[in-house]
Amino acid sequence: MSRKTENTGFICRHCGKEVLPLTDGSYRNHCPFCLYSLHVDITPGDRACNCGGLMEPIKIIYNSKKGYQIIHRCQKCGFERSNKISEDPRQPDSIDAITAIMRRNAEHP
């Protein structure tokens, strides 16, 4: 599958908002509003996983090579994966949602 095919908008299955495709040559893998994702990949971008469960954003980490990342956990099977925080100018990831996760983690480590 080409990056152009992968980089499409979608309606978030968690919050129902319209999510636009990225403009930086990458592709969107989570909602910029609620930060939820879907468990659809085995290897990032392959869309080869049949689980399809909602991936809940559970933690924010800092990776010295990739910057800030969201750790997602599948609500259906428990699989975890990290995703870079998007700074796309049209729909950047919600700073309020990011800080809420960080605050929750600080209160309940």
Side-chain angles (χ1 to χ4, degrees), residues 47-96:
R47 304 299 189 252
C49 181
N50 293 326
C51 177
L54 274 175
M55 299 281 284
E56 177 183 10
I58 60 166
K59 190 182 329 182
I60 305 296
I61 63 168
Y62 181 77
N63 178 305
S64 62
K65 294 182 180 176
K66 296 184 178 185
Y68 285 96
Q69 295 181 296
I70 304 165
I71 304 297
H72 288 100
R73 179 183 301 136
C74 182
Q75 294 178 326
K76 189 173 176 183
C77 73
F79 177 78
E80 291 187 12
R81 169 165 286 134
S82 61
N83 289 295
K84 285 177 33 175
I85 288 177
S86 173
E87 297 174 6
D88 183 74
R90 293 188 312 156
Q91 281 186 331
D93 286 349
S94 166
I95 192 68
D96 292 336

